[in-house]
Amino acid sequence: MRIVKTAVAAAVAFSLMGAVSAQAEEIVIKFSHVTGGSTHPKAVAANEFAKRVNEQMKGKVRVEVFGAGSLFNDDDLLIELIKGKSVQMGSPSLSKFESITKKFRIFDLPFLFDDINAVNRFQKSEHGQTLLRSMEKKGILGLTFWHNGMKQMSANKPLVMPSDAKGLKFRVQQSDVLVAQMEALGASAQKMAFKEVYGALQTGVVDAQENTWSNIYSKKFYQVQDGVTETNHGIIDYAVIVSKRFWSGLPADIRTELETILTQVTDERNKLSYELNQANKAKIMADQNHNVVRQLTAEQRAAWKAAMKPVWAKFEDQIGKDLIAAAVASNN
Ligand code: LMR
């Protein structure tokens, strides 16, 4: 009897100790992304999210941001997030989800969205929110969308008409739509991690690339190219995602608090992404040695559109005509 009592007392003491230490233990969220710089929309948003969580949830949750691909590139991030151990959160571009879902291909259709406001309307619609939740079965939860902006093209030669892209090798993100888009121009495409792009452009492994002003500036791509052509032909935006395994293990009140902070940061930062990209463009134009930015006339831009838009038909059945129509309608 005495032995049983002692064992029970020891078990109680042990479980109390466990509770105390569990309470004292801060939940750590490692947030991985691939961009950097103090004026990059994603880098700023991720840092702001971490700052607010670390202030408002001090002692309960700590967010550690690993930018510039310092923890994982985006391909590895998706694999690791599903496991949910070495990283808990991230924000890859919507073009990098091919291995998880083909539904995000809609975001890569060239000349689909007129501007970032149209993208915003579509993402906030029922269609957009359904897309965000479409990865749950794979172990990834989409919490929100973050904006970067419209894509521009750069190459080691002037790009004015679509025929100028013929024969060039473009670096693209991990997206079959983007490969098809470059092939429609008579160019070829090589999928490549963001971290490798500058070196590949510099050494001539690839000739050209497409990206937003903030990516082109923060990664200095413009310094190893002939110039940047303002095509605004597509978008780079992000899904803020968490490991489902990790997220579902959190207490409900912690999840709610994190979601509230994320919504505040998203609303504030998304409104500023356009200005940030314009500021990055201005910085490129102020670089006396590498300031070539080419504007297109309405006719020239129409020629790019005519050359690239046939890509829609290739992916239409898979993406769904209704979904494409809904995205087009968000332009109005
Ligand atoms: C790229 O790889 O070009 C972009 O997805 C990088 C980013 O996250 O904006």
Side-chain angles (χ1 to χ4, degrees):
M1 188 63 179
R2 214 146 103 227
I3 294 168
V4 173
K5 259 190 185 167
T6 314
V8 169
V12 169
F14 183 75
S15 75
L16 272 180
M17 260 167 55
V20 169
S21 72
Q23 238 178 27
E25 217 169 273
E26 233 177 7
I27 296 162
V28 175
I29 299 179
K30 289 192 178 158
F31 189 123
S32 164
H33 72 91
V34 298
T35 60
S38 58
T39 58
H40 190 284
K42 177 162 65 178
V44 175
N47 291 342
E48 187 60 30
F49 172 66
K51 183 170 166 264
R52 293 198 199 176
V53 170
N54 297 348
E55 277 165 15
Q56 294 172 34
M57 302 183 74
K58 199 171 167 51
K60 291 189 287 185
V61 181
R62 190 173 77 251
V63 175
E64 294 173 356
V65 178
F66 296 84
S70 58
L71 189 58
F72 292 116
N73 70 31
D74 284 330
D75 281 352
D76 294 335
L77 168 71
L78 292 175
I79 297 166
E80 293 300 325
L81 268 185
I82 293 170
K83 294 189 207 151
K85 292 212 168 93
S86 50
V87 61
Q88 290 71 37
M89 208 166 174
S91 50
S93 126
L94 300 175
S95 313
K96 293 188 175 154
F97 285 84
E98 291 265 329
S99 62
I100 307 287
T101 174
K102 305 276 187 272
K103 292 187 198 294
F104 281 17
R105 286 181 165 180
I106 185 157
F107 291 107
D108 281 336
L109 294 179
F111 293 97
L112 177 64
F113 296 106
D114 289 347
D115 53 32
I116 205 70
N117 293 329
V119 178
N120 194 56
R121 283 191 287 273
F122 178 68
Q123 289 173 345
K124 288 204 153 153
S125 72
E126 193 46 47
H127 286 295
Q129 293 302 303
T130 305
L131 287 174
L132 197 56
R133 290 188 296 264
S134 66
M135 300 166 286
E136 201 169 331
K137 281 204 184 99
K138 295 278 174 77
I140 288 181
L141 298 179
L143 297 182
T144 193
F145 291 108
W146 278 352
H147 297 330
N148 186 332
M150 305 302 287
K151 284 187 291 190
Q152 322 302 338
M153 292 217 186
S154 73
N156 54 12
K157 59 175 272 201
L159 293 177
V160 180
M161 292 301 282
S163 54
D164 296 329
K166 227 185 201 134
L168 296 182
K169 190 190 274 185
F170 276 81
R171 175 271 171 171
V172 293
Q173 302 174 79
Q174 304 291 336
S175 155
D176 289 354
V177 179
L178 298 180
V179 172
Q181 171 193 276
M182 296 314 179
E183 287 173 355
L185 293 170
S188 60
Q190 187 169 333
K191 293 178 179 175
M192 188 184 285
F194 191 51
K195 227 177 172 172
E196 291 161 24
V197 182
Y198 178 88
L201 290 171
Q202 191 182 35
T203 55
V205 169
V206 292
D207 307 301
Q209 66 87 45
E210 52 158 21
N211 233 307
T212 61
W213 291 116
S214 52
N215 282 353
I216 294 170
Y217 176 73
S218 60
K219 284 295 199 175
K220 301 188 168 69
F221 298 157
Y222 68 102
Q223 293 186 357
V224 285
Q225 293 277 265
D226 170 81
V228 185
T229 304
E230 185 154 40
T231 47
N232 287 318
H233 64 280
I235 62 154
I236 287 192
D237 247 38
Y238 306 111
V240 180
I241 53 176
V242 284
S243 158
K244 184 180 172 192
R245 176 179 288 202
F246 165 75
W247 196 248
S248 49
L250 292 179
D253 59 327
I254 295 277
R255 280 201 300 258
T256 307
E257 235 177 308
L258 285 168
E259 275 165 359
T260 304
I261 296 172
L262 184 62
T263 303
Q264 286 163 355
V265 171
T266 301
D267 290 348
E268 289 170 25
R269 297 313 314 173
N270 276 358
K271 283 197 194 105
L272 297 170
S273 68
Y274 176 79
E275 277 94 87
L276 275 191
N277 271 294
Q278 291 308 305
N280 281 286
K281 175 185 166 189
K283 284 185 196 164
I284 293 173
M285 293 178 82
D287 181 333
Q288 295 199 337
N289 299 318
H290 311 276
N291 60 2
V292 178
V293 170
R294 294 189 175 89
Q295 311 290 336
L296 298 176
T297 64
E299 289 75 27
Q300 287 162 345
R301 190 161 184 271
W304 285 89
K305 190 168 178 176
M308 290 155 93
K309 216 176 145 191
V311 167
W312 291 26
K314 269 192 144 179
F315 295 91
E316 202 168 63
D317 285 347
Q318 200 180 65
I319 294 173
K321 284 189 179 152
D322 290 355
L323 194 61
I324 296 177
V328 171
S330 66
N331 285 318
N332 303 315

